[in-house]
Amino acid sequence: MTTINAVTGSSINHGEFVRLQLGKPVTAGAFVIGTIYTITALGSTNFTLIGAATNTVGITFTATGIGTGSGTATVTYTFCNAAAAIT
């Protein structure tokens, strides 16, 4: 299943950002450094040690390490469908 989340804010005037989570969850130990993930299950993984701001399901982070433990996350891509310049 593919999940699409629309993210908007007061500083976005002419578009919206869409996060697309693809594929099956990746287990800690197999994260690719520099890849963006969204936490799907904490398990025994401390995601704050590998780039997440908090250790919370649903948080999107850029992996700074491969991780350890049994937690999972899905690869996440962010797109902007701006209809005009974003101010």
Side-chain angles (χ1 to χ4, degrees):
M1 175 170 50
T2 300
T3 302
I4 299 176
N5 300 312
V7 181
T8 60
S10 60
S11 63
I12 301 171
N13 295 325
H14 301 289
E16 67 182 3
F17 288 92
V18 177
R19 280 198 184 121
L20 183 61
Q21 298 174 24
L22 297 176
K24 295 181 179 182
V26 177
T27 302
F31 297 130
V32 176
I33 295 170
T35 300
I36 299 171
Y37 294 94
T38 299
I39 301 169
T40 54
L42 295 177
S44 60
T45 302
N46 184 343
F47 286 92
T48 63
L49 298 177
I50 55 170
T54 63
N55 207 38
T56 307
V57 171
I59 293 293
T60 299
F61 69 99
T62 301
T64 58
I66 64 169
T68 60
S70 59
T72 61
T74 52
V75 174
T76 302
Y77 298 93
T78 302
F79 302 92
C80 177
N81 68 344
I86 298 175
T87 58

